[in-house]
Amino acid sequence: MKFFVDTADTNEIRELAATGLIDGVTTNPSLIVKSGRDFKEVIKEICELTDGPVSAEVTALETDAMLAEAQELLKIAKNVCIKLPLTIDGLKACKALTDEGHMVNVTLCFSANQALLAAKAGATFISPFIGRLDDMNIDGMELIEDIRIIYDNYGFETEILAASIRTANHVKQSAMAGADVATIPPSVIKGLAKHPLTDKGLEAFLADWAKTGQSIL
Ligand code: E4P
């Protein structure tokens, strides 16, 4: 499973990119406002930190205006992936952009039928929002499972990008359900490596090693 980092904080992206574990980045208008930075400037900097897709979201609501914004964003770097909302206008823009060979991430997906439409529109990625469904007491993971079945039934190549991930358990469950990608907040990515028994075991090994009086180098 590929890991995208879900942030517009370039310091966090730089730190995580250095691990070699990051395959791309997703942003949205809320993450841009949180960064406090100019949209195009921050997208350009992120595109220099990763070779993978960097999702940049349009804000227009009508197809033609979405396409005009997309053309502007595509000038920033080769790895810009245009993020479009799951509306009829967004799907029309998706079809036009993917027909031209551009990457598109269709966002704000909350149903399997929406995901089916995005695949038919040629989306590169579909972003089902797990956490926001869980917030409403609807099982977000069931949506990932349903989309996996539908895409496999018809051989759709659209990648399932599990989004709105809040916990390490969401990452594990997305992987088990066959999501192709998970976009994960930096804090959750860092938490994946942690286990108290790892810390305890390491401490014991180092204490015993010290007793040997030896050194590897
Ligand atoms: C990513 O593409 C989404 O914009 C993001 O995962 C949304 O997460 P949230 O529901 O925590 O805002």
Side-chain angles (χ1 to χ4, degrees), residues 17-165:
T19 65
L21 297 170
I22 302 305
D23 303 294
V25 174
T26 52
T27 67
N28 62 37
S30 306
L31 293 170
I32 297 296
V33 79
K34 206 168 154 194
S35 77
R37 295 189 51 189
D38 176 79
F39 180 34
K40 291 186 210 168
E41 191 184 290
V42 80
I43 293 295
K44 185 172 188 299
E45 193 177 327
I46 295 170
C47 287
E48 286 162 5
L49 295 174
T50 176
D51 293 333
V54 174
S55 289
E57 189 159 344
V58 302
T59 53
L61 296 176
E62 288 165 8
T63 306
D64 286 348
M66 285 177 180
L67 291 173
E69 288 186 357
Q71 291 309 329
E72 193 61 23
L73 296 172
L74 288 166
K75 287 182 199 159
I76 297 174
K78 281 189 179 146
N79 52 335
V80 166
C81 173
I82 301 299
K83 205 175 190 193
L84 299 167
L86 212 156
T87 59
I88 292 294
D89 279 77
L91 293 169
K92 281 161 70 181
C94 174
K95 181 84 175 75
L97 288 167
T98 53
D99 278 353
E100 285 173 11
H102 300 299
M103 290 186 288
V104 171
N105 174 0
V106 177
T107 191
L108 291 167
C109 171
F110 294 95
S111 81
N113 280 331
Q114 287 182 317
L116 178 56
L117 292 178
K120 285 181 71 65
T124 318
F125 302 103
I126 180 67
S127 288
F129 276 36
I130 300 168
R132 293 191 195 186
L133 283 170
D134 284 357
D135 290 346
M136 296 182 70
N137 283 328
I138 297 168
D139 185 359
M141 211 48 63
E142 219 170 82
L143 176 57
I144 305 282
E145 291 163 6
D146 289 350
I147 299 171
R148 182 74 281 155
I149 291 168
I150 291 168
Y151 282 10
D152 289 350
N153 277 350
Y154 297 98
F156 284 122
E157 287 178 8
T158 299
E159 294 189 40
I160 302 172
L161 198 176
S164 188
I165 282 185

Side-chain angles (χ1 to χ4, degrees), residues 168 172 188-203:
K172 182 185 91 172
V188 176
I189 296 182
K190 290 177 194 168
L192 296 178
K194 290 195 192 304
H195 197 288
L197 290 179
T198 303
D199 295 341
K200 197 177 163 197
L202 187 58
E203 201 181 307

